[in-house]
């Protein structure tokens, strides 16, 4: 089982074919950054067209069983997620509506303060808001995973505590390896994994030691250290691959409609665009390089199989159904 | 199996309890008259609250199997429908989105001209529009039933011809029995039933011979004649019960936001409100009166069982799944 639990590509037949070439069984795709509910629905409509157009390459997955079916029929399962709670606007009823439409991951905040939680770029983090507590309970009820990848530390720790079901950091790396603002302290990772949650390792160059020049060995050694600390069963991949996107998209991700000024996020005025990916992970066809790298740094076959996809699959199985259906 | 394939009540615990008292296994409920997509989603959110609040009385049904499960667990299955295509706005992609949210019936027009078809109150009926042809194909593909209850004759006959799957008139009676504008000519009914479609008999007084004073025997004799003409297997109930609604709601149904003037629809300035229901069908508890009436006018046990619910159940089984899932 090979699962990449975070991509946001400029989707095309070419990319779906590469998913098949890499034998990637499931991809969690971002369908909304700053979109409203109606705009998110338009994005789902676009995905529905892809599913109709490329039924031999991809299929929509709402359950772990759908992922198994995709694997059995030689297709890649597509799981919907949002990087921001903007699709639910200020309406808690939309959590269940979005779940019905297939949304399985939702970040409680993206860099900034949201109605629910604080983002990692804010100076102050007052923790989960009043509405945030209600929405966490509702996400727990319907089976939508709380993703804290772009949230601030206190909010993340509180979310892990408040949630009755395991939560996730779908795409980030340990700060001890590379001290990027978006990477996570051991304390934050432990708060998530101690309660059965997952950490997905990011391949976005700003999250990598040495950036684009990060070596596969360094990346895999970082994972081996994380496995010792947090347990290999809590780990997976969330590459953050933004393949074929024009630089205008990274601007949209950072700026949305919340400011009229330029915000470079993890970039800078000197390099405002998407950074080039490492040579050993250019696209979905390269996913097995990581499995090989993990083998070389001494992880067991079973641990590697889990990190490459088995752990996410089990997490999906425990996370995507409603509480009353369990 | 007892199915009422059209109600639009002012929903409450009282009504859900009456559904159970009447042992009604499934009800097709109207969730939108003139609502936009977002407003329809709000109505679904309201239903989601009912499902959470009254899990022992009702459950949401998206398939015939769900109806069977409701019956087996002593609950009433609730099936969503729209009396107007307004929830899909001008966006064909919303057909699949609404199907994902559970919409299983949609009228192509409600009294007036729509983007898709002509309503029965228009003077001229140019038939199914260009967009209407596209939407019929899309509804066929995803498994959403084309309902022509409030449409004009030519549009209805064309819809039956264009659709590759059986369509429905969920709530109306034969015009030969009572010549109301909303009742249907034999030619229109035959166009629908000859292709496997269904006619649901209405108990809305304006559709009844003698109105509120219509006798059960007259109603059941009308059904017996229809069974001779169109075949009993094409027939079911669609009571149009609007229980506990204030008269402001019938005004909304008729007027929506399309006029600033008063439109009395089937009513009049003298009696603008909801007419009182016949004594023998006041609410869901009375549904067995109809079964008894049908037995008395000489229909066979099998025919009565079909009309009371078996025919709709089979129709659901053949209609609600997507074409690729069949």
């Amino acid at each position: 089982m090979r699962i990449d639990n975070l991509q946001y590509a400029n989707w095309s037949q070419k990319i779906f074919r590469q998913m098949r070439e890499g034998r990637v069984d499931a991809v969690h795709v971002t369908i909304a950054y700053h979109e409203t509910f109606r705009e998110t629905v338009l994005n789902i409509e676009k995905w529905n067209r892809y599913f109709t157009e490329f039924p031999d390459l991809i299929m929509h997955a709402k359950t772990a069983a759908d992922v198994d079916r995709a694997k059995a029929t030689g297709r890649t399962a597509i799981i919907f997620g949002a990087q921001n709670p903007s699709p639910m606007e200020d309406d808690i009823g939309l959590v269940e509506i979005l779940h019905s439409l297939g949304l399985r991951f939702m970040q409680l905040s993206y860099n900034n303060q949201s109605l629910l939680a604080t983002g990692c770029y804010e100076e102050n983090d007052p923790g989960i808001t009043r509405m945030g507590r209600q929405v966490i309970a509702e996400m727990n009820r319907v089976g939508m995973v709380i993703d804290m990848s772009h949230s601030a530390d206190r909010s993340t720790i509180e979310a892990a505590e408040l949630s009755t079901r395991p939560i996730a950091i779908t795409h980030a790396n340990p700060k001890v390896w590379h001290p990027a603002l978006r990477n996570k302290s051991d304390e934050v990772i432990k708060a998530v994994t101690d309660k059965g949650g997952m950490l997905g390792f990011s391949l976005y160059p700003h999250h990598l030691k040495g950036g684009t020049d990060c070596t596969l060995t360094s990346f895999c050694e970082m994972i081996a250290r994380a496995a010792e600390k947090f347990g290999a069963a809590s780990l997976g991949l969330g590459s953050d691959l933004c393949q074929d996107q024009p630089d205008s998209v990274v601007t949209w991700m950072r700026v949305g409609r919340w400011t009229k000024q330029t915000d470079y996020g993890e970039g800078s005025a000197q390099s405002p665009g998407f950074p080039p990916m490492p040579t050993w992970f250019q696209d979905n066809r390269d996913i097995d390089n990581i499995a090989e790298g993990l083998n070389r740094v001494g992880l067991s076959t079973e641990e590697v199989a889990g990190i490459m996809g088995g752990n996410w699959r089990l997490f999906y199985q425990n996370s995507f159904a409603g509480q009353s259906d369990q």
Side-chain angles (χ1 to χ4, degrees), chain A:
Chain A
M1 183 72 69
R2 291 175 194 78
I3 296 179
D4 188 346
N5 202 61
L6 206 289
Q7 292 190 10
Y8 182 60
N10 187 1
W11 309 107
S12 64
Q13 187 182 37
K14 180 190 93 177
I15 294 177
F16 300 142
R17 286 202 184 284
Q18 290 176 349
M19 285 178 180
R20 296 318 309 144
E21 283 183 59
R23 288 175 301 151
V24 179
D25 299 303
V27 177
H28 159 208
V29 304
T30 292
I31 64 162
Y33 268 95
H34 304 283
E35 283 90 338
T36 63
F37 173 68
R38 185 66 181 93
E39 290 167 338
T40 302
V41 167
L42 285 173
N43 292 345
I44 297 173
E45 292 179 33
K46 201 171 169 187
W47 271 106
N48 283 340
R49 280 178 177 266
Y50 291 139
F51 296 134
T52 311
E53 212 172 337
F54 307 112
D56 50 332
L57 300 175
I58 55 170
M59 61 168 271
H60 186 189
K62 295 181 168 188
T63 64
D66 288 340
V67 172
D68 295 343
R69 196 155 57 92
K71 186 179 175 62
T73 54
R75 294 180 286 173
T76 298
I78 301 293
I79 298 153
F80 294 161
Q83 298 234 10
N84 195 314
S86 60
M88 64 159 291
E89 300 177 354
D90 61 354
D91 178 358
I92 197 167
L94 287 180
V95 173
E96 187 167 4
I97 296 290
L98 288 162
H99 187 268
S100 296
L101 294 175
L103 202 76
R104 291 296 177 268
F105 287 87
M106 187 172 79
Q107 290 197 44
L108 298 194
S109 52
Y110 184 84
N111 297 356
N112 290 3
Q113 179 68 42
S114 77
L115 298 179
L116 313 178
T118 306
C120 61
Y121 277 71
E122 293 285 359
E123 269 183 50
N124 303 300
D125 177 5
I128 301 297
T129 66
R130 296 177 76 214
M131 186 178 181
R133 287 164 188 261
Q134 299 296 319
V135 170
I136 286 171
E138 181 68 356
M139 291 172 76
N140 285 164
R141 185 180 74 82
V142 302
M144 190 185 290
V145 178
I146 292 148
D147 182 358
M148 299 304 279
S149 298
H150 285 256
S151 296
D153 289 1
R154 180 177 164 188
S155 286
T156 305
I157 292 166
E158 284 186 17
E161 280 166 5
L162 289 163
S163 177
T164 58
R165 302 175 80 168
I167 72 167
I169 293 168
T170 59
H171 56 303
N173 297 321
K175 223 166 204 154
V176 292
W177 177 61
H178 177 58
L181 177 61
R182 268 275 282 105
N183 283 339
K184 305 298 177 187
S185 71
D186 283 6
E187 186 196 358
V188 166
I189 298 171
K190 261 189 87 64
V192 171
T193 58
D194 277 359
K195 292 197 66 188
M198 287 284 291
L199 172 67
F201 296 106
S202 168
L203 288 146
Y204 191 62
H206 291 310
H207 307 157
L208 299 177
K209 188 177 187 169
T212 298
D213 297 329
C214 176
T215 64
L216 176 59
T217 304
S218 174
F219 182 74
C220 291
E221 278 172 351
M222 172 273 288
I223 294 178
R225 295 298 82 72
E228 287 162 10
K229 264 188 209 161
F230 312 112
S234 304
L235 309 178
L237 301 176
S239 72
D240 211 359
L241 181 67
C242 296
Q243 196 180 347
D244 293 345
Q245 295 283 22
D247 284 344
S248 57
V249 165
V250 78
T251 303
W252 159 250
M253 287 157 62
R254 291 166 180 165
V255 169
R257 288 179 284 242
W258 67 271
T259 175
K260 292 182 173 176
Q261 298 181 355
T262 306
D263 183 89
Y264 293 111
E266 299 178 282
S268 62
Q270 288 69 45
S271 52
F274 280 111
M277 295 294 285
T279 52
W280 43 271
F281 192 79
Q282 289 285 302
D283 59 52
N284 285 277
R285 293 171 297 182
D286 294 332
I287 197 166
D288 265 351
N289 289 340
I290 297 167
E292 286 162 24
L294 293 174
N295 282 321
R296 277 200 299 271
V297 298
L299 287 164
S300 73
T301 310
E302 196 185 310
E303 285 170 331
V304 174
I307 293 166
M308 292 303 297
N311 298 336
W312 277 124
R313 194 211 153 279
L314 184 62
F315 184 80
Y316 296 168
Q317 190 171 312
N318 296 327
S319 300
F320 289 172
Q323 262 167 342
S324 61
D325 305 325
Q326 294 240 303

